[in-house]
Amino acid sequence: AGFVGIVHAVIMAKQGNKVILFDVNEQRIADLTSFCQGKTDKLPIHEEGLPEILRQVYKEKFLECTTDAKKAIQESTVIFIAVGTPPNAQGKADLRYVEGVAHDIGNVLKEHPQYKLIVNKSTVPVGTAKRVEAIIKQYYSGDFDVASNPETLAEGRAVRDASTPNRVIVGVRSEKAKKLFEEMYAPFFFPQQ
């Protein structure tokens, strides 16, 4: 539920997808929930148009906020990983949060096997999808895909960028994953009449 996560979740919910916005930070989720319920006007990020859409999709029950990782993973078909990847001491992306999410996903899938499309939305180096896949396979040998869908949001106009993208970049290896992406993003380019 950081900058990319909140904006992406809200816009996907606005398109009619049921979205579960997860974060380990209990205070952040409590603040988001309070905001959505109209109990406060404080949001962790400021983006034009975000407050109105956030409250609308929450009220219409297209968006739910939680700190329950098991629930978020179990109840989702597509899981977007949108965590921070700050540079480490060597200047390379620190992937510990991405890897942590992969471990969580693997653990849940081991207990509740079902197909998932896991998507790297974070800024990550080439090869991260293979790394995420290898971690999940430590726990789960069933059907899942790992794909890339880098964010292209600019601060100050992120809601507009996410709502009306001029392109969507994805990296997939299966027809099943490709089809899911096409279904998710088609409304952005081919709105229903």
Side-chain angles (χ1 to χ4, degrees), residues 45-144:
I45 64 169
H46 174 74
E47 281 295 325
E48 187 179 329
L50 183 64
E52 300 80 12
I53 300 170
L54 181 55
R55 282 189 171 144
Q56 174 193 348
V57 296
Y58 184 85
K59 181 180 175 186
E60 294 172 354
K61 303 212 182 301
F62 284 110
L63 179 75
E64 176 183 350
C65 302
T66 187
T67 56
D68 185 344
K70 186 175 180 180
K71 171 189 172 50
I73 294 165
Q74 228 177 303
E75 295 182 14
S76 301
T77 302
V78 181
I79 301 167
F80 286 91
I81 301 175
V83 296
T85 54
N88 61 21
Q90 293 78 34
K92 296 180 179 178
D94 182 347
L95 298 178
R96 82 178 110 167
Y97 302 116
V98 172
E99 292 169 351
V101 173
H103 284 285
D104 290 344
I105 293 167
N107 268 311
V108 172
L109 290 180
K110 178 175 63 175
E111 293 176 29
H112 305 280
Q114 55 185 299
Y115 176 80
K116 302 290 180 191
L117 170 57
I118 298 109
V119 183
N120 280 321
K121 196 82 177 154
S122 301
T123 304
V124 294
V126 171
T128 302
K130 285 183 180 175
R131 197 169 182 170
V132 167
E133 183 178 350
I135 291 170
I136 293 169
K137 282 184 175 179
Q138 293 174 13
Y139 304 91
Y140 177 68
S141 60
D143 189 21
F144 71 96

Side-chain angles (χ1 to χ4, degrees), residues 1-70:
F3 174 77
V4 172
I6 291 172
V7 172
H8 185 68
V10 166
I11 298 308
M12 293 308 280
K14 185 180 174 195
Q15 291 296 333
N17 298 289
K18 172 72 171 113
V19 176
I20 301 172
L21 183 59
F22 165 79
D23 201 297
V24 295
N25 184 324
E26 291 180 8
Q27 189 60 56
R28 177 167 285 221
I29 292 299
D31 291 347
L32 277 168
T33 302
S34 291
F35 177 84
C36 290
Q37 294 170 343
K39 296 177 182 174
T40 182
D41 286 332
K42 184 181 170 192
L43 261 178
I45 64 169
H46 174 74
E47 281 295 325
E48 187 179 329
L50 183 64
E52 300 80 12
I53 300 170
L54 181 55
R55 282 189 171 144
Q56 174 193 348
V57 296
Y58 184 85
K59 181 180 175 186
E60 294 172 354
K61 303 212 182 301
F62 284 110
L63 179 75
E64 176 183 350
C65 302
T66 187
T67 56
D68 185 344
K70 186 175 180 180

Side-chain angles (χ1 to χ4, degrees), residues 158-173:
V159 171
R160 187 175 21 152
D161 289 349
S163 298
T164 57
N166 60 3
R167 68 185 166 281
V168 174
I169 301 164
V170 298
V172 297
R173 289 190 301 185

